[in-house]
Amino acid sequence: MFEDLRDLYQEVILDHGRRPRHGSRLAAFDATARGDNPLCGDRIALWLKYAEGGAIERVGFEAKGCAISIASADLMAETVAGISDEEARQLAAALQALAKTGDAPIVPEPLAERLERLLPLAGVHEFPSRVKCATLPWHALLAALTGRENATSE
Amino acid sequence: MFEDLRDLYQEVILDHGRRPRHGSRLAAFDATARGDNPLCGDRIALWLKYAEGGAIERVGFEAKGCAISIASADLMAETVAGISDEEARQLAAALQALAKTGDAPIVPEPLAERLERLLPLAGVHEFPSRVKCATLPWHALLAALTGRENATSE
Amino acid sequence: MSVGVSVRPFDVARVRADFPILAQKIYGRDLVFLDSAASAQKPRAVIAAMTEAMERQYANVHRGIYWLSERATEAYENARDAAARLLKAYDRSEIVFTRNSTEAINLVAHSYGRGVLRPGQAVVISEMEHHANIVPWQMLRDAHGIDLRVAPITDSGEIDLVSLARLLEDGRVGLVALTHMSNVLGTCTPARRLAALAHAHGAKLLLDGSQAIVHRIVDVQEIDCDFYVFTGHKLYGPTGIGVLWARHELLEQMPPFLGGGDMISSVSFARSEWAAVPHKFEAGTPPIVEAIGLATAIAYVEALGYEAIAAHETTLVDHALSRLSSIPGLRIFGHAQDRGGVVSFALEGAHSHDIATLLDRQGIAVRAGHHCAEPLMQRLGVESTARASFGLYTTKDEIDALAEGIDRVREFFA
Amino acid sequence: MSVGVSVRPFDVARVRADFPILAQKIYGRDLVFLDSAASAQKPRAVIAAMTEAMERQYANVHRGIYWLSERATEAYENARDAAARLLKAYDRSEIVFTRNSTEAINLVAHSYGRGVLRPGQAVVISEMEHHANIVPWQMLRDAHGIDLRVAPITDSGEIDLVSLARLLEDGRVGLVALTHMSNVLGTCTPARRLAALAHAHGAKLLLDGSQAIVHRIVDVQEIDCDFYVFTGHKLYGPTGIGVLWARHELLEQMPPFLGGGDMISSVSFARSEWAAVPHKFEAGTPPIVEAIGLATAIAYVEALGYEAIAAHETTLVDHALSRLSSIPGLRIFGHAQDRGGVVSFALEGAHSHDIATLLDRQGIAVRAGHHCAEPLMQRLGVESTARASFGLYTTKDEIDALAEGIDRVREFFA
Ligand SMILES: Cc1ncc(COP(=O)(O)O)c(C=O)c1O
Ligand SMILES: Cc1ncc(COP(=O)(O)O)c(C=O)c1O
């Protein structure tokens, strides 16, 4: 029955959606932002901590949303740990392209492996009304990086 | 070509429309009112003078409008001279029914002959967008009778 | 079965045949359309009336002195009669055509709110309003110094009448604006009691009938309300048209909202005079073809008969409540005594979006989200719900399909 | 004749075949429809697109997570793209769908007028505006302390640019709102010069393109205006839909107009946050089917090509001016250098209503009255005019029929 949904709900997604590893607020953080999807009520708040050298050390989030958005947030937290702001921006842009088109854009070498871990989110491109679920956490990330308070995924 | 228009534009109408007998302002008057047809720009102002006994003595008007509305105003001035306010109201109601349905309603004896002189206006009932042309002067008359300043024929 | 003209058997198969879209396949499956509360499908008669209007008697209305325009004007004004008849308005001049319910409420908020209510007076809404009946009043509050009060609802999803009465007590409330049927909980509100309560405290009552008019006979004279709004597209009619009904004397009292052609009696640069009601509130070229479509939708619903519609719907709701409530982990929101064909629910372990996507792949269309009722979501303690809503064409089989579909969703996320 | 892709021969017979209503008989005569400036007829493609939308892919937009709603949303947003393409907008987010031109202008008058202009600033309009571009500014003046200034027109019916410049001189004018083509005189106004003039004095420019968009290619980037409005039903599209284009940064700056669903980002009773543009300005269920119809109308016009349309129209106008001006006692209003397919006239001895009625009985539909431009009527020294206006489907033969029809009217009243 749901064969064609297996692209969208890959095991990785279901797993991260059900049991996010980074789904909690950071006690100490350097930046924070919220994201809203006004059209469906999804919400996320995230906190970001930098390491000594300036790279992102950790991301934690609290989110209300569907399996896709929670999984995307959790995979985001996983993949941006250890990279610079600039790299995180590139990864966010790549994820947005991936979610919209289904194709992974070419990214500089150090990010390629991280983008690969995000590939399970590619399936969302066939579900226009769900693309925003996948991109919302990344909008919030971008907002945190530029010090803005809110992001919407419209 | 215009056979079926002869109902609307009877000779009487064309004649009164072209050469109204009462188309001027009264120097001395007891009541006055204006009427507008907002949807087409027709306008009328009328003045009314009472005789000693309380009957309407004379009506004069200035109007901008089509053949139908000028003729209706002129025939109105002709037919309400010499009757009481109450009779004029009855005649106005009869004219409105006539213009809308094409049928002359039954009126008390002394008015019957006056209403007959208005029969040429009956043809307007087949022209829904023109009914207001015929009734506008009578709305203004009613406004003058009740001391109102403006009337619209909507 | 009783015999009599008023009780016609409701033949859902025949009704379904009137709706071309129901023959549509979705991912190779039969369409099970359970989102009529968001917008209903259109019967062939409505589509045909619009086509006919454009193919045979189209012209702009009101100012044309020629055959086509006279026909179009007649058809447009007849639509006003149809709406007046539907609501049992006192007079056709009380019907104002708007774009939708939202615009109708905004019209009242602007025109009555800014034109008649005075700063310091209050407007009362409830916790279960649609955004369309919240945001305009917030904007009025912020622009015009009107106090905005919110009547709570009970845990079963009904207006808390005791609290409402308390909100009215100080006599400062000028307008009570409440839904006649909740688009989330299905609750039908006790319109007559609300009107009496509002009037007893010197307030007017606006009812948002966007949902109610689809399911119940509405008689504004009997209810004795002051404003009633609904939207064409939920009543099996076209998009682009809504209805505001208001008592004639209120419309007279209210300043116009939008300015332009058709709403004036005369214009000079110094000053314009307004046309008589309802034209004063209809600026510019109206939704002519949409009015004609709406009139046909009204005639369609009337021909089926509200009694039969309500009976059919009650059967569906009862069936849905019994089927869904037996699904483990499924929670239903709203347990009002008097309720219409809307059932909102949440499922343990599956977010409403995921439910909707999985149901969609089975051909089943339900809505997921906050249903433009975020404050109500907060009251219910959720971010969103899934919602199945029923129309004339909904069958018990479709509700069974929904229940089976939800079972599959559960398994998928188990 | 030149050879090239850009110059297609304009085949009016083929165009006419696209419009079902033109086959209609009026009082047993062929319909000669010369009232397109009031509202244009609809090609089969538009009617079919609307039917198809309702029969095969209808659902409410934006919030539905299911196939039908995704298709409807896509179609609705594609209509935004079509409007953006038509106007050469910088970005699709600059297109706001409204009910008609009138609502679009009211939106600007409310939102930009009350939200951005400050009391003491001025708005400039002209003597030849449609009521839709007068009354909203009067209401703004009366509610918000804005000065309303009126630019005169010359005797040939063009904007008096010298006087306009003088009105702008004191730098207090925040907005100039002018017609891009007069619905009475046919005058096309010099949009680029107007924009430069307004900007040189620190004012924004709104163009009312209700008529112009039907006849001329419009490029808001090239014109460099700030707001542009038009209405679907005059562009061979459905009733119930209009377009406001505005520069993105202006839309950002402007507070919302109507409140409700779809225009918010979050709602709580304390406060609501607005959605991103253009959604901030589209409250409630939009005219979905109408947007789809409009997109088809735009595609239809684009396929014919504005160059060909303009060439066809120029032929018609020249023919009409030469035929009508040779009728004794006939006076034509408006002699602008640059003019579109609208010819207003008066006839000695016959009022415009009588003309219209007599032409109607010959199957010829023209408009009679003040054309929602009472101040212009005053400027011209008349109460009303008769007006013939042309569309894609108008032929020279029809103009001959008009001229002959007017001759008969003259005889009738002689
Ligand atoms: C120049 C002009 N502006 C505005 C309008 C108003 O258009 P609508 O009635 O569709 O709002 C019209 C048409 O009547 C017009 O000709
Ligand atoms: C209760 C209620 N009120 C108002 C609305 C708004 O209707 P519309 O979007 O047609 O203006 C809706 C529908 O969305 C509704 O369900």
Side-chain angles (χ1 to χ4, degrees), chain C residues 37-38 99-103 105 130 132-133 179 181-183 208-211 231-234 372 387, chain D residues 60 63 283-286:
Chain C
R99 179 175 43 231
N100 50 26
S101 284
T102 303
E103 202 203 24
I105 297 172
H130 187 280
N133 199 29
T179 190
M181 173 178 152
S182 162
N183 64 315
D208 173 1
S210 308
Q211 296 295 339
T231 192
H233 66 95
K234 293 188 206 270
C372 291
R387 180 188 74 182
Chain D
N60 211 331
R63 290 174 308 258
T285 304

mmCIF file of all heavy atoms in Angstrom, chain C residues 37-38 99-103 105 130 132-133 179 181-183 208-211 231-234 372 387, chain D residues 60 63 283-286, ligand 2:
data_model
loop_
_atom_site.group_PDB
_atom_site.id
_atom_site.type_symbol
_atom_site.label_atom_id
_atom_site.label_comp_id
_atom_site.label_asym_id
_atom_site.label_seq_id
_atom_site.Cartn_x
_atom_site.Cartn_y
_atom_site.Cartn_z
ATOM 1 N N ALA C 37 -15.292 20.717 4.843
ATOM 2 C CA ALA C 37 -15.368 21.888 5.723
ATOM 3 C C ALA C 37 -14.377 22.961 5.287
ATOM 4 O O ALA C 37 -14.565 24.144 5.560
ATOM 5 C CB ALA C 37 -15.122 21.488 7.175
ATOM 6 N N ALA C 38 -13.303 22.559 4.614
ATOM 7 C CA ALA C 38 -12.366 23.558 4.079
ATOM 8 C C ALA C 38 -12.959 24.171 2.826
ATOM 9 O O ALA C 38 -12.958 25.386 2.646
ATOM 10 C CB ALA C 38 -11.019 22.920 3.776
ATOM 11 N N ARG C 99 -16.475 38.855 -0.859
ATOM 12 C CA ARG C 99 -15.664 37.812 -1.481
ATOM 13 C C ARG C 99 -15.815 36.478 -0.766
ATOM 14 O O ARG C 99 -15.799 35.419 -1.370
ATOM 15 C CB ARG C 99 -14.189 38.195 -1.491
ATOM 16 C CG ARG C 99 -13.343 37.086 -2.118
ATOM 17 C CD ARG C 99 -11.885 37.485 -2.261
ATOM 18 N NE ARG C 99 -11.419 38.156 -1.096
ATOM 19 C CZ ARG C 99 -10.788 39.322 -1.095
ATOM 20 N NH1 ARG C 99 -10.542 39.921 -2.228
ATOM 21 N NH2 ARG C 99 -10.402 39.886 0.023
ATOM 22 N N ASN C 100 -15.937 36.540 0.547
ATOM 23 C CA ASN C 100 -16.001 35.320 1.350
ATOM 24 C C ASN C 100 -16.440 35.705 2.757
ATOM 25 O O ASN C 100 -16.700 36.890 3.028
ATOM 26 C CB ASN C 100 -14.638 34.601 1.344
ATOM 27 C CG ASN C 100 -13.487 35.542 1.691
ATOM 28 O OD1 ASN C 100 -13.684 36.535 2.371
ATOM 29 N ND2 ASN C 100 -12.297 35.223 1.216
ATOM 30 N N SER C 101 -16.503 34.752 3.653
ATOM 31 C CA SER C 101 -16.852 35.059 5.039
ATOM 32 C C SER C 101 -15.876 36.046 5.645
ATOM 33 O O SER C 101 -16.259 36.951 6.388
ATOM 34 C CB SER C 101 -16.806 33.787 5.892
ATOM 35 O OG SER C 101 -17.913 32.984 5.673
ATOM 36 N N THR C 102 -14.619 35.820 5.346
ATOM 37 C CA THR C 102 -13.576 36.660 5.930
ATOM 38 C C THR C 102 -13.825 38.126 5.612
ATOM 39 O O THR C 102 -13.765 38.986 6.487
ATOM 40 C CB THR C 102 -12.206 36.214 5.374
ATOM 41 O OG1 THR C 102 -12.033 34.833 5.679
ATOM 42 C CG2 THR C 102 -11.083 37.026 5.981
ATOM 43 N N GLU C 103 -14.110 38.402 4.342
ATOM 44 C CA GLU C 103 -14.337 39.798 3.990
ATOM 45 C C GLU C 103 -15.615 40.319 4.637
ATOM 46 O O GLU C 103 -15.691 41.487 5.025
ATOM 47 C CB GLU C 103 -14.415 39.981 2.472
ATOM 48 C CG GLU C 103 -14.112 41.419 2.103
ATOM 49 C CD GLU C 103 -14.667 41.844 0.763
ATOM 50 O OE1 GLU C 103 -15.642 41.243 0.278
ATOM 51 O OE2 GLU C 103 -14.117 42.785 0.201
ATOM 52 N N ILE C 105 -16.827 39.532 7.553
ATOM 53 C CA ILE C 105 -16.545 39.884 8.952
ATOM 54 C C ILE C 105 -15.688 41.147 9.019
ATOM 55 O O ILE C 105 -15.922 42.030 9.840
ATOM 56 C CB ILE C 105 -15.874 38.702 9.692
ATOM 57 C CG1 ILE C 105 -16.841 37.511 9.744
ATOM 58 C CG2 ILE C 105 -15.459 39.117 11.105
ATOM 59 C CD1 ILE C 105 -16.234 36.219 10.289
ATOM 60 N N HIS C 130 -12.637 30.717 14.344
ATOM 61 C CA HIS C 130 -11.738 30.684 13.198
ATOM 62 C C HIS C 130 -10.981 32.016 13.170
ATOM 63 O O HIS C 130 -11.507 33.045 13.588
ATOM 64 C CB HIS C 130 -12.607 30.517 11.947
ATOM 65 C CG HIS C 130 -11.858 30.302 10.673
ATOM 66 N ND1 HIS C 130 -11.287 31.323 9.961
ATOM 67 C CD2 HIS C 130 -11.612 29.175 9.962
ATOM 68 C CE1 HIS C 130 -10.707 30.841 8.862
ATOM 69 N NE2 HIS C 130 -10.890 29.532 8.843
ATOM 70 N N ALA C 132 -10.663 34.023 10.997
ATOM 71 C CA ALA C 132 -11.480 35.036 10.322
ATOM 72 C C ALA C 132 -12.354 35.798 11.303
ATOM 73 O O ALA C 132 -12.740 36.946 11.048
ATOM 74 C CB ALA C 132 -12.369 34.387 9.258
ATOM 75 N N ASN C 133 -12.669 35.178 12.432
ATOM 76 C CA ASN C 133 -13.489 35.843 13.446
ATOM 77 C C ASN C 133 -12.653 36.208 14.670
ATOM 78 O O ASN C 133 -13.182 36.386 15.755
ATOM 79 C CB ASN C 133 -14.689 34.963 13.822
ATOM 80 C CG ASN C 133 -15.801 35.756 14.509
ATOM 81 O OD1 ASN C 133 -15.974 36.943 14.258
ATOM 82 N ND2 ASN C 133 -16.528 35.103 15.397
ATOM 83 N N THR C 179 -18.991 31.884 16.430
ATOM 84 C CA THR C 179 -19.251 30.917 15.378
ATOM 85 C C THR C 179 -20.606 30.251 15.620
ATOM 86 O O THR C 179 -21.005 30.032 16.770
ATOM 87 C CB THR C 179 -18.133 29.862 15.327
ATOM 88 O OG1 THR C 179 -18.307 29.084 14.150
ATOM 89 C CG2 THR C 179 -18.162 28.942 16.546
ATOM 90 N N MET C 181 -21.077 27.359 14.088
ATOM 91 C CA MET C 181 -20.651 25.960 14.160
ATOM 92 C C MET C 181 -19.132 25.941 14.033
ATOM 93 O O MET C 181 -18.572 26.512 13.093
ATOM 94 C CB MET C 181 -21.274 25.120 13.039
ATOM 95 C CG MET C 181 -20.715 23.702 12.980
ATOM 96 S SD MET C 181 -21.506 22.709 11.671
ATOM 97 C CE MET C 181 -20.151 21.567 11.320
ATOM 98 N N SER C 182 -18.475 25.283 14.958
ATOM 99 C CA SER C 182 -17.015 25.251 14.957
ATOM 100 C C SER C 182 -16.492 24.391 13.813
ATOM 101 O O SER C 182 -16.953 23.271 13.603
ATOM 102 C CB SER C 182 -16.502 24.701 16.284
ATOM 103 O OG SER C 182 -15.153 24.282 16.133
ATOM 104 N N ASN C 183 -15.501 24.913 13.114
ATOM 105 C CA ASN C 183 -14.911 24.157 12.011
ATOM 106 C C ASN C 183 -13.916 23.107 12.509
ATOM 107 O O ASN C 183 -13.380 22.356 11.707
ATOM 108 C CB ASN C 183 -14.218 25.101 11.021
ATOM 109 C CG ASN C 183 -13.043 25.834 11.634
ATOM 110 O OD1 ASN C 183 -13.147 26.339 12.736
ATOM 111 N ND2 ASN C 183 -11.924 25.890 10.930
ATOM 112 N N ASP C 208 -21.004 33.693 12.796
ATOM 113 C CA ASP C 208 -20.191 33.221 11.681
ATOM 114 C C ASP C 208 -20.773 31.881 11.243
ATOM 115 O O ASP C 208 -20.541 30.846 11.856
ATOM 116 C CB ASP C 208 -18.738 33.076 12.137
ATOM 117 C CG ASP C 208 -17.862 32.414 11.070
ATOM 118 O OD1 ASP C 208 -18.379 32.099 9.979
ATOM 119 O OD2 ASP C 208 -16.665 32.203 11.337
ATOM 120 N N GLY C 209 -21.554 31.929 10.167
ATOM 121 C CA GLY C 209 -22.275 30.734 9.732
ATOM 122 C C GLY C 209 -21.555 29.960 8.640
ATOM 123 O O GLY C 209 -22.181 29.147 7.954
ATOM 124 N N SER C 210 -20.257 30.205 8.487
ATOM 125 C CA SER C 210 -19.506 29.567 7.400
ATOM 126 C C SER C 210 -19.719 28.059 7.368
ATOM 127 O O SER C 210 -19.867 27.463 6.305
ATOM 128 C CB SER C 210 -18.008 29.838 7.564
ATOM 129 O OG SER C 210 -17.765 31.209 7.716
ATOM 130 N N GLN C 211 -19.720 27.440 8.533
ATOM 131 C CA GLN C 211 -19.942 25.993 8.601
ATOM 132 C C GLN C 211 -21.420 25.670 8.786
ATOM 133 O O GLN C 211 -21.943 24.743 8.173
ATOM 134 C CB GLN C 211 -19.141 25.380 9.775
ATOM 135 C CG GLN C 211 -17.633 25.497 9.636
ATOM 136 C CD GLN C 211 -17.073 24.717 8.456
ATOM 137 O OE1 GLN C 211 -17.693 23.794 7.944
ATOM 138 N NE2 GLN C 211 -15.893 25.125 7.990
ATOM 139 N N THR C 231 -20.009 31.774 3.399
ATOM 140 C CA THR C 231 -19.091 31.828 2.275
ATOM 141 C C THR C 231 -19.565 30.827 1.219
ATOM 142 O O THR C 231 -19.997 29.720 1.556
ATOM 143 C CB THR C 231 -17.654 31.564 2.808
ATOM 144 O OG1 THR C 231 -16.698 31.872 1.821
ATOM 145 C CG2 THR C 231 -17.466 30.139 3.280
ATOM 146 N N GLY C 232 -19.538 31.236 -0.041
ATOM 147 C CA GLY C 232 -20.147 30.410 -1.074
ATOM 148 C C GLY C 232 -19.489 29.064 -1.285
ATOM 149 O O GLY C 232 -20.160 28.049 -1.488
ATOM 150 N N HIS C 233 -18.166 29.028 -1.212
ATOM 151 C CA HIS C 233 -17.446 27.821 -1.631
ATOM 152 C C HIS C 233 -17.641 26.647 -0.687
ATOM 153 O O HIS C 233 -17.365 25.515 -1.067
ATOM 154 C CB HIS C 233 -15.952 28.120 -1.810
ATOM 155 C CG HIS C 233 -15.249 28.464 -0.531
ATOM 156 N ND1 HIS C 233 -14.583 27.529 0.215
ATOM 157 C CD2 HIS C 233 -15.132 29.630 0.136
ATOM 158 C CE1 HIS C 233 -14.072 28.130 1.290
ATOM 159 N NE2 HIS C 233 -14.391 29.405 1.256
ATOM 160 N N LYS C 234 -18.079 26.907 0.532
ATOM 161 C CA LYS C 234 -18.340 25.778 1.436
ATOM 162 C C LYS C 234 -19.754 25.232 1.243
ATOM 163 O O LYS C 234 -20.053 24.128 1.659
ATOM 164 C CB LYS C 234 -18.155 26.211 2.894
ATOM 165 C CG LYS C 234 -16.702 26.552 3.243
ATOM 166 C CD LYS C 234 -16.521 26.777 4.738
ATOM 167 C CE LYS C 234 -15.351 27.685 5.027
ATOM 168 N NZ LYS C 234 -14.068 27.003 5.197
ATOM 169 N N CYS C 372 -6.839 27.078 10.969
ATOM 170 C CA CYS C 372 -7.065 28.510 11.198
ATOM 171 C C CYS C 372 -7.748 28.755 12.531
ATOM 172 O O CYS C 372 -8.662 29.595 12.629
ATOM 173 C CB CYS C 372 -7.890 29.127 10.066
ATOM 174 S SG CYS C 372 -6.987 29.207 8.526
ATOM 175 N N ARG C 387 -8.463 16.291 10.576
ATOM 176 C CA ARG C 387 -9.897 16.538 10.581
ATOM 177 C C ARG C 387 -10.563 15.918 9.369
ATOM 178 O O ARG C 387 -10.131 16.130 8.238
ATOM 179 C CB ARG C 387 -10.158 18.041 10.567
ATOM 180 C CG ARG C 387 -11.646 18.395 10.565
ATOM 181 C CD ARG C 387 -11.847 19.875 10.364
ATOM 182 N NE ARG C 387 -11.582 20.263 8.980
ATOM 183 C CZ ARG C 387 -11.633 21.509 8.524
ATOM 184 N NH1 ARG C 387 -11.902 22.509 9.354
ATOM 185 N NH2 ARG C 387 -11.392 21.772 7.260
ATOM 186 N N ASN D 60 -9.622 23.438 -1.418
ATOM 187 C CA ASN D 60 -9.088 24.680 -0.893
ATOM 188 C C ASN D 60 -7.564 24.642 -0.979
ATOM 189 O O ASN D 60 -6.963 23.564 -1.022
ATOM 190 C CB ASN D 60 -9.551 24.927 0.543
ATOM 191 C CG ASN D 60 -9.675 26.428 0.828
ATOM 192 O OD1 ASN D 60 -8.967 27.238 0.227
ATOM 193 N ND2 ASN D 60 -10.562 26.791 1.722
ATOM 194 N N ARG D 63 -3.306 24.870 2.522
ATOM 195 C CA ARG D 63 -3.106 24.132 3.755
ATOM 196 C C ARG D 63 -3.408 22.651 3.609
ATOM 197 O O ARG D 63 -3.379 21.928 4.577
ATOM 198 C CB ARG D 63 -3.968 24.733 4.873
ATOM 199 C CG ARG D 63 -3.490 26.105 5.311
ATOM 200 C CD ARG D 63 -4.459 26.695 6.309
ATOM 201 N NE ARG D 63 -5.815 26.634 5.765
ATOM 202 C CZ ARG D 63 -6.454 27.651 5.231
ATOM 203 N NH1 ARG D 63 -5.900 28.824 5.182
ATOM 204 N NH2 ARG D 63 -7.659 27.518 4.743
ATOM 205 N N ALA D 283 -6.547 37.570 2.779
ATOM 206 C CA ALA D 283 -7.210 36.953 3.926
ATOM 207 C C ALA D 283 -8.330 36.042 3.456
ATOM 208 O O ALA D 283 -9.114 36.415 2.596
ATOM 209 C CB ALA D 283 -7.765 38.044 4.838
ATOM 210 N N GLY D 284 -8.376 34.862 4.041
ATOM 211 C CA GLY D 284 -9.491 33.971 3.738
ATOM 212 C C GLY D 284 -9.283 33.203 2.453
ATOM 213 O O GLY D 284 -8.263 33.339 1.762
ATOM 214 N N THR D 285 -10.264 32.391 2.133
ATOM 215 C CA THR D 285 -10.189 31.584 0.927
ATOM 216 C C THR D 285 -10.201 32.499 -0.290
ATOM 217 O O THR D 285 -11.120 33.289 -0.462
ATOM 218 C CB THR D 285 -11.381 30.621 0.864
ATOM 219 O OG1 THR D 285 -11.366 29.839 2.065
ATOM 220 C CG2 THR D 285 -11.304 29.726 -0.351
ATOM 221 N N PRO D 286 -9.175 32.414 -1.117
ATOM 222 C CA PRO D 286 -9.107 33.335 -2.259
ATOM 223 C C PRO D 286 -10.021 32.875 -3.393
ATOM 224 O O PRO D 286 -10.599 31.789 -3.348
ATOM 225 C CB PRO D 286 -7.640 33.240 -2.668
ATOM 226 C CG PRO D 286 -7.189 31.887 -2.237
ATOM 227 C CD PRO D 286 -7.999 31.537 -1.013
HETATM 228 C C1 LIG E 2 -15.989 28.840 10.972
HETATM 229 C C2 LIG E 2 -15.324 29.498 9.807
HETATM 230 N N1 LIG E 2 -15.316 30.833 9.719
HETATM 231 C C3 LIG E 2 -14.769 31.486 8.677
HETATM 232 C C4 LIG E 2 -14.162 30.791 7.661
HETATM 233 C C5 LIG E 2 -13.538 31.572 6.546
HETATM 234 O O1 LIG E 2 -14.151 31.342 5.317
HETATM 235 P P1 LIG E 2 -13.502 32.000 4.015
HETATM 236 O O2 LIG E 2 -12.088 31.530 3.960
HETATM 237 O O3 LIG E 2 -14.299 31.512 2.885
HETATM 238 O O4 LIG E 2 -13.580 33.473 4.205
HETATM 239 C C6 LIG E 2 -14.145 29.386 7.703
HETATM 240 C C7 LIG E 2 -13.526 28.578 6.643
HETATM 241 O O5 LIG E 2 -12.337 28.506 6.462
HETATM 242 C C8 LIG E 2 -14.729 28.738 8.797
HETATM 243 O O6 LIG E 2 -14.719 27.404 8.884
#
